[in-house]
Each structure stands twice: as structure tokens, then as C-alpha cells.
């Protein structure tokens, strides 16, 4: 009779010997999915408690007291619990739904490609052309090795780690310190990315509006103003060693319309545009779910491909302008080796950063035995993409009449607003970043609120305060320090210290020591990695 009543209340419940089982749920506050407000029935809550009850009775290797079939959830209804207080739904558990190697490789490439690509030419300029290329290759190899350590770290633990992520591994080895520190450095990388996005969105919105205004009012900059047929500009020529005063300091000049001053007053890249973005983006950050914006993630791939095409076209049009001055600074050329190279290593630490999600990406690889190979190929593609963009922009930058020191942290700033191809790139990147920015804010909210309050949306007021703080940081940086190169290098060196160098190296040494396999060459090398990460962070404050 009791079973009949239970079946009447929920027709999904069947006998233990059958294959159809009750769908399994966890509490809504811990679900990270499309519908975080999904309600839990009383029957599902009882089954949830039963699973916890059976797990306390016996170890996973003891089958005598294993839970019956009607207690075990279906494969597609299983959730992974992370140490940050959230549960992620398992998808693609069916082997037929796994990705082939080529899809996995380009998924890693697409995930790693971000705003850092805009600062690669500037980083090469800061390090010097020859040293910059060497540092890019060396840093890529170093980041690849640390990522390999992260990927294999769960396998060294003598328990079921199939559902673990790297923060779980940190929590296993370092306890609460590992959990909280991984949360902190994850927040540094996410909020740092959001600040960079705000600066770039302000930049792209300003230039897009300026292009439309100039086109509507037939305003054009003369070819002689820019010194290179209007193709490339030096926005801040005071950085030139020779101080060439003949080069224009303006993006677009010759604006003699009567309302020009009024337009420039209300359409300022640092004074007004960052505030206009608040009206658009702050409401989007307060959405309970970011599922709508996730549908536009493919735009990231298209934007990177377009940038590569744009760089190729500009390089063919401008040609190469290179002179090698190994240690001395010429008027138009920087030396091949510069002491400012740590600025480039900070940028590259974030440019090659994927360590916090590589375990998740590789779980969907169809052939797990090829994980190391696929990871290496993906890093090779990323490194080649960075080299291609950085080398072409640096080499094609016209010297003379401009100095290589004019290369901006966002290389698109070296092209005038009137450039149609660059206008398309800016408009496309602006739309892509508007869709990605709420996703980053959603990740910050889920991790921070879930860890502190046990609920990723405790109340509208909590979420609003958090979003105001994040947006405020972006507005302040866009107004007072809109240098994305410096923002990227500081955030990259900070999060890379823990999640790239310290934690992977320590976990690797601890694992080898417990197995009795740790030898002094390995200990010295991995200790050197830790020192390298610390030096990378400290150098950012002195360069």
C-alpha cells in the first residue's frame, strides 16, 4: 500500500529491479544550470537524503551495503560537487557524445584566445623583437608543462577522482587553504578579465561612434596628418625617443563643424563612455541565468579569425619595416633585448592561462589516451597564433616615419577611426564582449556567492552590490588607467603565481614524495618554477 501511494504521488518511482529510476535532484541553491529556480519535490529530497545515508554506511569499494537501483540517480541526472559550493551537471557522459581530438584541440584554442591577443605586439615591443619571440616560445612551453601537471594531478590520488576539478585537487592537498586560495585567484583572473573588457568596450564604443559621426558629417583626416597615408597613427607621440612633432596626436582631426565641441564633450572615451556602458551592462549582470548569453560564445572564434585576416591584409599593405639594433635604442627602433621584458611575461601568463578548466575540457575528449598530445597541439596552435599576430604587427609597423615605441597595448588603437576594416573589427568585438561580459559576471557571482552564502543568488540586493563593485572597478580603470597591457600583466602574473606555478609544482612534488619517487633534480626544477612565478609577479611592480 505504501508503494502504491508513492507511485501515485510520483509515477517515476518503480521497483528496485527495473532500469527506470527516479530523476535525481539537488537543492536549487547549489545547481549551476539553465534554470536555477527549479523546485525539488518531497520525494526527490528524500532520495537525495538516502544517497547521503548510504554513502555514510560503506566505502565505495564495499558492495554489501551499496544503494539499490531506485536510490541511484540516472547517469544524465548526476551532478559534480566542487569545493566552491556549487554543483555542475554532468553532460556528455555517453561515449558517443564525446568529442574527437580535433574538436578538443580547437575548443582549447578557442578558450585560450581572448583579449590578450590585442596586447601581444605591445609585449613584443616591450621585450624587444628578438627577445620577445624567444620569451613567447619559452613561456608557452613552460605553461604547457604546468598545464600537463594540472591535467594528470587527479590521477595520482588513490580514490575516485573522475568528477574532480583542479580546485578539488588543491582542496585535497592543502585543505581549506587550498579551497579558499583557489577561489581568490580565480576571482582575480575573472574580475581582471572583466576590467579589461570594460576598458576595451569603452574604447570600441568610442571609436565606433566616432566613425559613424565622422561619416555622417563628412569628416576625414588628411593623409599628411598621419604620415603613412592615413593607415597607421601614433596616438601618443611623446613616447617617441626623437619626439617627432610632425606626427598627429589626434585620432581624427579637421573637425571644424559647429557642434564638434559639443559632440566631443558628450562622447569622450574616458569621461563619458565608461558611464554610458553602465546603463546597458549593469542590468544584464543582474540576470539570474546567463544561458542566453552563452549562445553567443561562437563569436569569439569568428572575431579571432577576423583579426588574423585583418593583420594579414595590413601587413601586405604596409610591408615590413625592420632594423636590428641589438642593445642600443635608435630613434625609430627599440633594441632587440630590453629590460622591460617582464611586462611581456605577465601578459603571456594570462594569454596561455587555461589551467583552471583544462581538466573539464579534457573530460569530453573521446580518446583519453591522446590527452597529452591534443593539449600539446592546442598550445602549439595558440603559440603560432600569438606569434603570427605579434610578429606581423611589429614588423609591419611603419618605421619611418613612426617609431616602434608607438605600438599601443591595444594594437587596434594604432589605426585611425576612419579605417573601415578596423571599424568592422571594433564593432564586432564590441558586440562579442557585451555578450561575454555577463557570462564572466555570472561565474564570479556563482563562485563567490555560493561559497559565502551557499546560494548563488541570495537576493537581488546582494547581487546588485557585488555587480556595482565589479562595474565600479571597470569604470575607474577605464577613466584613470585605460592601459589593458598593464591590467593584463598584473592579473595574469597574480593568478598565474598560484594556479600555474605554485600549486601545480607543489602538488607534483608532494605526489612524487608520497610514492617515493621524488628525486633531487625534480625537486630543484619544480622549486625553480615556484621561484619563477614569484619573480614574475614581483617584477611587474618594478617595470
Amino acid at each position: 500500500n505504501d508503494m502504491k501511494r508513492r507511485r501515485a504521488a510520483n509515477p517515476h518511482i518503480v521497483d528496485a529491479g527495473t532500469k527506470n529510476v527516479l530523476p535525481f535532484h539537488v537543492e536549487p541553491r547549489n545547481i549551476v544550470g539553465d534554470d536555477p529556480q527549479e523546485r525539488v519535490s518531497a520525494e526527490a529530497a528524500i532520495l537525495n537524503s538516502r544517497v547521503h545515508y548510504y554513502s555514510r554506511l560503506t566505502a565505495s569499494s564495499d558492495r554489501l551495503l551499496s544503494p539499490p537501483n531506485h536510490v541511484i540517480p540516472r547517469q544524465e541526472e548526476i551532478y559534480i560537487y566542487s569545493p566552491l559550493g556549487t554543483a555542475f551537471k554532468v553532460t556528455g557522459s555517453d561515449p558517443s557524445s564525446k568529442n574527437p581530438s580535433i574538436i578538443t584541440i580547437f575548443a582549447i584554442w578557442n578558450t585560450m584566445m581572448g583579449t590578450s591577443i590585442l596586447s601581444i605586439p605591445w609585449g613584443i615591443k616591450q621585450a624587444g623583437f628578438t627577445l620577445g619571440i624567444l620569451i613567447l616560445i619559452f613561456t608557452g612551453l613552460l605553461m604547457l608543462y604546468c598545464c600537463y601537471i594540472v591535467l594528470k594531478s587527479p590521477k595520482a590520488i588513490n580514490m575516485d577522482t573522475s568528477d574532480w576539478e583542479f580546485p578539488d585537487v588543491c582542496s585535497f592537498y592543502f585543505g581549506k587553504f587550498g579551497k579558499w586560495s583557489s577561489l581568490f585567484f580565480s576571482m582575480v583572473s575573472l574580475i581582471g578579465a572583466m576590467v579589461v573588457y570594460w576598458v576595451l568596450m569603452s574604447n570600441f564604443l568610442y571609436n565606433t561612434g566616432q566613425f559613424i559621426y565622422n561619416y555622417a558629417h563628412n569628416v576625414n583626416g588628411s593623409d599628411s596628418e598621419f604620415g603613412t597615408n592615413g593607415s597607421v597613427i601614433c596616438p601618443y607621440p611623446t613616447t617617441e625617443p626623437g619626439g617627432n612633432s610632425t606626427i598627429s596626436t589626434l585620432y581624427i582631426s579637421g573637425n571644424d563643424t559647429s557642434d564638434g565641441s559639443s559632440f566631443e564633450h558628450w562622447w569622450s572615451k574616458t569621461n563619458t563612455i565608461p558611464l554610458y556602458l553602465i546603463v546597458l551592462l549593469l542590468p544584464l549582470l543582474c540576470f539570474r541565468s546567463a544561458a542566453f548569453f552563452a549562445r553567443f560564445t561562437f563569436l569569439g572564434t569568428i572575431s579571432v579569425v577576423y583579426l588574423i585576416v585583418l593583420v594579414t591584409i595590413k601587413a601586405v599593405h604596409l610591408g615590413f619595416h625592420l632594423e636590428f639594433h641589438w642593445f642600443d635604442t635608435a630613434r625609430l627602433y627599440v633594441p632587440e633585448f630590453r629590460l622591460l621584458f617582464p611586462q611581456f611575461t605577465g601578459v603571456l601568463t594570462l594569454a596561455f592561462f587555461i589551467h583552471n578548466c583544462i581538466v573539464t575540457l579534457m573530460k569530453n575528449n573521446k580518446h583519453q589516451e591522446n590527452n597529452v598530445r591534443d593539449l600539446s597541439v592546442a598550445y602549439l596552435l595558440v603559440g603560432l597564433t600569438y606569434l603570427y599576430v605579434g610578429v606581423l604587427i611589429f614588423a609591419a609597423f611603419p618605421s619611418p616615419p613612426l617609431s616602434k615605441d608607438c605600438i599601443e597595448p591595444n594594437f587596434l588603437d594604432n589605426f585611425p577611426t576612419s579605417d573601415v576594416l578596423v571599424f568592422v573589427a571594433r564593432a564586432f568585438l564590441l558586440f562579442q564582449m557585451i555578450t561575454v561580459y555577463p557570462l564572466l559576471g555570472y561565474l564570479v557571482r556563482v563562485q563567490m556567492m555560493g561559497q559565502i552564502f551557499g546560494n548563488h543568488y541570495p537576493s537581488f540586493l546582494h547581487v546588485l552590490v557585488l555587480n556595482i563593485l565589479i562595474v565600479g572597478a571597470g569604470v575607474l580603470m577605464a577613466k584613470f588607467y585605460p592601459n589593458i597591457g598593464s591590467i593584463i600583466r598584473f592579473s595574469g602574473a597574480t593568478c598565474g603565481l598560484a594556479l600555474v606555478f605554485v600549486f601545480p609544482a607543489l602538488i607534483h612534488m608532494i605526489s612524487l614524495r608520497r610514492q617515493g619517487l621524488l628525486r633531487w633534480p625534480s625537486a630543484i626544477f619544480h622549486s625553480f618554477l615556484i621561484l619563477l612565478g614569484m619573480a614574475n609577479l614581483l617584477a611587474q611592480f618594478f617595470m
Side-chain angles (χ1 to χ4, degrees):
N1 291 335
D2 180 64
M3 180 59 72
K4 290 180 180 179
R5 286 194 299 269
R6 293 174 59 201
R7 284 178 176 173
N10 193 326
H12 292 286
I13 295 183
V14 296
D15 295 334
T18 63
K19 294 183 179 180
N20 296 324
V21 295
L22 175 72
F24 179 62
H25 298 270
V26 294
E27 292 77 2
R29 68 175 184 274
N30 285 339
I31 295 180
V32 177
D34 293 341
D35 185 10
Q37 295 304 307
E38 179 183 2
R39 304 313 304 166
V40 181
S41 64
E43 290 81 7
I46 292 174
L47 281 187
N48 187 21
S49 300
R50 287 178 181 173
V51 171
H52 289 285
Y53 170 73
Y54 280 105
S55 66
R56 293 175 182 272
L57 287 178
T58 181
S60 59
S61 60
D62 188 354
R63 310 305 302 170
L64 295 177
L65 295 175
S66 60
N69 291 340
H70 69 274
V71 175
I72 302 176
R74 291 185 297 189
Q75 185 69 23
E76 64 271 17
E77 298 293 340
I78 297 178
Y79 293 83
I80 300 176
Y81 286 88
S82 80
L84 302 178
T86 55
F88 297 85
K89 189 173 182 178
V90 175
T91 57
S93 56
D94 185 3
S96 62
S97 66
K98 297 287 187 178
N99 296 325
S101 292
I102 187 67
I103 300 298
T104 302
I105 291 171
F106 278 99
I108 298 173
W109 177 85
N110 185 41
T111 304
M112 215 180 303
M113 283 287 124
T115 56
S116 301
I117 193 174
L118 299 174
S119 296
I120 297 298
W122 173 80
I124 291 179
K125 180 256 294 186
Q126 295 299 92
F129 184 64
T130 301
L131 183 59
I133 294 176
L134 296 176
I135 286 178
L136 195 152
I137 297 173
F138 174 76
T139 305
L141 293 174
L142 205 62
M143 298 285 284
L144 170 61
Y145 176 73
C146 294
C147 196
Y148 163 73
I149 295 177
V150 172
L151 182 61
K152 73 172 188 177
S153 61
K155 301 177 182 179
I157 301 175
N158 295 325
M159 56 190 303
D160 183 16
T161 59
S162 58
D163 295 339
W164 283 31
E165 311 295 331
F166 187 60
D168 298 273
V169 178
C170 295
S171 180
F172 174 81
Y173 281 100
F174 307 112
K176 289 186 177 181
F177 172 79
K179 179 178 70 173
W180 285 99
S181 58
S182 63
L183 172 65
F184 171 77
F185 289 106
S186 178
M187 292 298 99
V188 169
S189 62
L190 288 173
I191 296 177
M194 295 183 73
V195 170
V196 171
Y197 269 47
W198 199 276
V199 175
L200 285 175
M201 286 186 293
S202 300
N203 183 310
F204 296 151
L205 181 58
Y206 168 80
N207 284 286
T208 301
Q210 189 76 57
F211 176 88
I212 296 173
Y213 176 84
N214 291 338
Y215 180 81
H217 292 79
N218 295 320
V219 179
N220 293 303
S222 63
D223 292 346
S224 60
E225 280 187 278
F226 306 114
T228 56
N229 297 324
S231 299
V232 180
I233 63 175
C234 184
Y236 307 103
T238 55
T239 59
E240 286 190 272
N244 190 346
S245 60
T246 63
I247 302 172
S248 173
T249 63
L250 302 176
Y251 284 90
I252 292 293
S253 61
N255 186 358
D256 55 358
T257 58
S258 59
D259 60 343
S261 60
S262 176
F263 175 77
E264 293 174 0
H265 175 75
W266 293 106
W267 196 255
S268 170
K269 183 163 61 174
T270 57
N271 294 328
T272 59
I273 299 297
L275 300 177
Y276 295 159
L277 288 172
I278 298 177
V279 180
L280 173 63
L281 293 174
L282 185 58
L284 297 181
L285 285 177
C286 296
F287 280 18
R288 288 182 177 270
S289 174
F292 172 76
F293 304 102
R295 297 170 183 155
F296 297 94
T297 53
F298 70 94
L299 294 175
T301 302
I302 299 177
S303 63
V304 173
V305 172
Y306 183 82
L307 281 177
I308 294 174
V309 174
L310 175 66
V311 167
T312 304
I313 294 175
K314 293 298 182 182
V316 172
H317 173 69
L318 295 171
F320 286 173
H321 304 266
L322 288 174
E323 286 185 13
F324 296 96
H325 301 267
W326 296 104
F327 300 103
D328 59 314
T329 300
R331 191 178 73 86
L332 299 178
Y333 293 89
V334 297
E336 300 300 303
F337 299 89
R338 302 184 75 182
L339 294 179
L340 297 176
F341 70 89
Q343 296 184 5
F344 193 30
T345 61
V347 171
L348 291 176
T349 305
L350 192 63
F352 285 108
F353 181 70
I354 198 176
H355 302 62
N356 59 341
C357 60
I358 188 61
V359 176
T360 303
L361 289 173
M362 282 304 188
K363 282 179 182 178
N364 292 325
N365 199 11
K366 187 174 183 180
H367 301 286
Q368 292 292 306
E369 66 276 9
N370 296 332
N371 277 352
V372 177
R373 182 202 67 184
D374 296 343
L375 178 64
S376 303
V377 173
Y379 261 85
L380 175 63
L381 291 179
V382 171
L384 290 177
T385 304
Y386 288 152
L387 271 176
Y388 185 82
V389 172
V391 169
L392 280 190
I393 290 294
F394 183 91
F397 195 84
S399 301
L402 305 181
S403 168
K404 296 289 186 182
D405 246 328
C406 287
I407 298 176
E408 289 293 297
N410 172 11
F411 74 82
L412 293 180
D413 285 344
N414 288 115
F415 298 97
T417 305
S418 57
D419 192 312
V420 177
L421 291 177
V422 179
F423 162 74
V424 174
R426 287 167 173 153
F428 194 83
L429 286 169
L430 174 63
F431 180 74
Q432 181 231 341
M433 290 182 178
I434 289 175
T435 60
V436 173
Y437 189 83
L439 285 174
L440 297 175
Y442 179 74
L443 293 175
V444 172
R445 183 215 311 167
V446 165
Q447 296 189 35
M448 186 173 294
M449 293 295 185
Q451 182 64 25
I452 297 175
F453 300 103
N455 186 341
H456 75 276
Y457 204 100
S459 71
F460 176 77
L461 181 61
H462 287 81
V463 174
L464 180 62
V465 171
L466 174 63
N467 292 336
I468 289 176
L469 294 175
I470 296 174
V471 168
V475 171
L476 291 175
M477 295 300 288
K479 180 175 177 60
F480 297 107
Y481 194 71
N483 188 325
I484 66 166
S486 294
I487 301 172
I488 289 174
R489 67 186 179 94
F490 275 104
S491 59
T494 302
C495 69
L497 172 64
L499 301 180
V500 175
F501 296 105
V502 175
F503 282 166
L506 285 178
I507 288 174
H508 184 71
M509 287 190 290
I510 293 173
S511 174
L512 290 179
R513 186 173 182 273
R514 291 180 177 179
Q515 301 175 49
L517 301 176
L518 181 62
R519 301 293 183 266
W520 66 266
S522 177
I524 293 177
F525 174 74
H526 291 91
S527 299
F528 173 73
L529 289 182
I530 297 175
L531 294 177
L532 206 59
M534 297 174 63
N536 184 35
L537 177 59
L538 292 176
Q540 307 307 318
F541 295 94
F542 298 100
M543 296 296 176

